[in-house]
Amino acid sequence: MTAAIHFDKVWKSYGHDVVLERIDLQVKAGEFVTVVGASGCGKTTFLRLLLGEEAPSRGHILMDGRPLPAEPGPDRGVVFQRYSVFPHMTVLGNVMAGLEFAAAPFTGRLLGRARRHARDEARDMLCAVGLEGALDKYPAELSGGMQQRLAIAQALVKRPRVLLLDEPFGALDPGIRKDMHALILDLWRRTGLTVFMITHDLKEGFYLGTRLLVFDKLRHDPHAPGAYGARITYDIPLGQTDRQVYEDIRTAIGVPESAPLSPQTPPHTEA
Amino acid sequence: MMSRGGPVRGTATGTGPDGERTRMKRLINRQPGRVGSVLLTALPFVGVLLAYGIASALRLAENPNDPLLPSLLTLGESFLRLATEENRRTGDILLWSDTAASLIRLGLGVGISALMGLIIGIVTGLIPVVHRTLSPFLVVLSMIPPLALLPILFIVFGVGELSKVMLIIFGVAPFLIRDLQQRVEQLPREQLIKAQTLGASTWQIILRVVLPQVMPRLLDATRLALGSAWLFLIAAEAIAATEGLGYRIFLVRRYLDMETILPYVVWITLLAFAFDLLLRVLTRRLFPWYRGGRAPA
């Protein structure tokens, strides 16, 4: 069901600009990988590679030992920071869409019993994310947090093998964000999915993941800013981080000195 | 500055504690009330009617047979006659047969253009291979002044209905296609990726993601294109036709028949206004999610 991901010496460059440099990475099935890094250091490119939206310039990405498909597909679900849901469909319609695409190749719509079945499945999924009260609303009527819940339900109803989250809670208020953390951890524990989550919030990265990746450019050539790409500079199993490492990362990715953050022990224990 | 102690009241001249005017809000902040709104809306209409009435009365006082500015009453009677009396030769009622002829041309021209806009706009906006093939070509095509094509259309398609409908299509289809194409290109990348991760094929993305989202835009764009569609219709009718609203007003121009021309112009304006309203209401009814609307209760 859930998949392992292997990056084998992956490079990504656009023309002469190297974005990612020799990424080597083994992710086991069921890991919750959080990705942090300064802006413009290849986090989003990393996610686009995983989506299949971009192809590596060199190297290979393997999913369960097989090459990753070269375009986005239902085996990898995604939630973006914004625009993840369809504004012209109701909440229920948004979640049913994924089921309908698979079952009705030509019309993209289901009728009769098949439709009722899909509706029930979508409704169950929406209950799991706490949207049972908003089934017939349009996304524009939902708050930011509810829209993200919908986007998560929409992705999970397809039972993907990997879930990709691109700063999914970046635009939410701190209180709402906390609820969303609880939700995503709960869903992750229940489904056992492999999750990649990009975040610019270091604390969130430490709190949610079982493993933290830090992307950073180590080498700079001031005369050719595009000559070197970012690499994975830290790859830490979480739950056993000491304060010094945390502070090092914080300075490396340029998170401002705010209130003293202590790396929280993730609320889950590794199997 | 005035002293700070004690209550400060605006003085009779309307200056506040800092010597600023406080009574009058800025012009940009002053909203007319409900009655005021109605009055202000009616004002230019009443003004034009009044000006016309006075000018007409002045001219008619000088020469009761003056054809240029018939009185409003004469115009009303003339409109009634055009809308009710049968033509002695053909048995048709002039206004209605002209209206029917023109609206069929307009409807065909705009309808076919809208369909082209929808289909070609979506595929050029969504599919890179088609975009590469058609997009620059469409840009060039839309630069051709449609009226310059009219002689060619008459030569190629004859002076019948086809050439008039073709002129409208040449006039508005390129605009509609490019507008819809842009609309498709503006759809967030995230949505198209998301649809793919939900397993949608290109066809399903067109059918369930793109088409419903550009439909309200199509109605909007069609509404904007109607103005030029009328222009091309009347131009084509003026040059070669045997009936139609544009044909009629250009025909009777020779006799300075303002009693026919003015009611026709008002009628054309009313029709144009009605279509505009219809499309606006349709957009709101059919696509409640458009512009952040709410679901019907």
Side-chain angles (χ1 to χ4, degrees), chain A residues 64-132:
Chain A
D64 280 344
R66 275 192 294 276
L68 195 78
E71 59 175 0
D75 47 1
R76 285 148 294 156
V78 69
V79 174
F80 295 104
Q81 183 172 1
R82 295 177 65 198
Y83 307 122
S84 277
V85 297
F86 304 120
H88 60 291
M89 297 182 193
T90 62
V91 166
L92 197 58
N94 261 291
V95 180
M96 282 172 67
L99 302 170
E100 292 183 303
F101 288 144
F106 186 70
T107 60
R109 282 174 200 280
L110 293 173
L111 297 167
R113 185 190 296 175
R115 181 180 170 78
R116 276 196 298 280
H117 192 100
R119 185 194 294 264
D120 290 341
E121 197 176 337
R123 193 178 286 148
D124 290 346
M125 196 66 237
L126 283 163
C127 285
V129 299
L131 279 181
E132 60 276 7

Side-chain angles (χ1 to χ4, degrees), chain A residues 48 53 72-74 76 78 80 83-84 86-89 98 100-101 104-108 138 141 151 154 158, chain B residues 188-191 193-201 203-204 207-209 212-213 288-289 292-296:
Chain A
R48 293 174 98 154
E53 196 185 351
R76 285 148 294 156
V78 69
F80 295 104
Y83 307 122
S84 277
F86 304 120
H88 60 291
M89 297 182 193
E100 292 183 303
F101 288 144
F106 186 70
T107 60
Y138 286 107
E141 298 173 76
Q154 195 182 26
K158 291 296 285 183
Chain B
R189 171 192 72 92
E190 287 90 339
Q191 264 189 42
I193 300 287
K194 181 83 182 193
Q196 295 179 63
T197 64
L198 298 179
S201 62
W203 167 247
Q204 287 174 327
L207 198 67
R208 297 239 24 218
V209 179
Q213 288 194 76
W289 49 269
R294 296 179 163 267

Side-chain angles (χ1 to χ4, degrees), chain A residues 91-248:
Chain A
V91 166
L92 197 58
N94 261 291
V95 180
M96 282 172 67
L99 302 170
E100 292 183 303
F101 288 144
F106 186 70
T107 60
R109 282 174 200 280
L110 293 173
L111 297 167
R113 185 190 296 175
R115 181 180 170 78
R116 276 196 298 280
H117 192 100
R119 185 194 294 264
D120 290 341
E121 197 176 337
R123 193 178 286 148
D124 290 346
M125 196 66 237
L126 283 163
C127 285
V129 299
L131 279 181
E132 60 276 7
L135 298 182
D136 295 318
K137 289 192 169 160
Y138 286 107
E141 298 173 76
L142 304 180
S143 66
M146 285 164 88
Q147 287 191 21
Q148 292 306 75
R149 282 170 192 266
L150 174 58
I152 292 169
Q154 195 182 26
L156 290 184
V157 83
K158 291 296 285 183
R159 307 191 186 288
R161 302 165 68 192
V162 178
L163 182 63
L164 307 171
L165 307 169
D166 187 2
E167 301 200 10
F169 313 133
L172 304 180
D173 294 337
I176 310 279
R177 211 183 289 186
K178 221 167 197 172
D179 295 344
M180 299 299 288
H181 290 163
L183 173 75
I184 201 75
L185 281 177
D186 177 51
L187 291 171
W188 171 70
R189 264 192 230 112
R190 279 200 268 163
T191 54
L193 270 175
T194 310
V195 178
F196 287 85
M197 174 165 147
I198 290 180
T199 173
H200 58 243
D201 180 349
L202 187 54
K203 200 173 169 186
E204 186 177 78
F206 267 97
Y207 174 71
L208 286 177
T210 59
R211 180 172 178 185
L212 179 80
L213 301 180
V214 181
F215 280 66
D216 200 5
K217 280 190 187 183
L218 284 183
R219 295 182 293 175
H220 281 281
D221 180 344
H223 302 292
Y228 299 111
R231 308 189 58 170
I232 296 175
T233 52
Y234 287 85
D235 180 352
I236 318 166
L238 292 177
Q240 53 213 45
T241 321
D242 64 27
R243 190 170 186 87
Q244 190 52 47
V245 175
Y246 182 85
E247 288 301 329
D248 288 351

Side-chain angles (χ1 to χ4, degrees), chain B residues 93-156:
Chain B
I93 297 173
L94 219 48
L95 181 71
W96 301 120
S97 59
D98 282 343
T99 304
S102 287
L103 288 191
I104 288 172
R105 290 166 192 151
L106 190 75
L108 275 175
V110 173
I112 292 171
S113 303
L115 202 66
M116 287 171 68
L118 194 62
I119 295 170
I120 303 177
I122 287 179
V123 292
T124 42
L126 192 65
I127 300 172
V129 180
V130 182
H131 182 93
R132 233 334 111 81
T133 317
L134 282 186
S135 198
F137 177 69
L138 283 168
V139 173
V140 173
L141 202 68
S142 66
M143 298 294 168
I144 304 173
L147 279 177
L149 287 178
L150 192 55
I152 304 175
L153 295 177
F154 280 143
I155 292 168
V156 175

Side-chain angles (χ1 to χ4, degrees), chain B residues 17-30:
Chain B
D18 295 328
E20 284 172 19
R21 290 169 63 85
T22 52
R23 277 210 190 141
M24 292 283 267
K25 283 195 210 167
R26 283 181 192 80
L27 198 52
I28 55 165
N29 291 327
R30 286 165 66 192

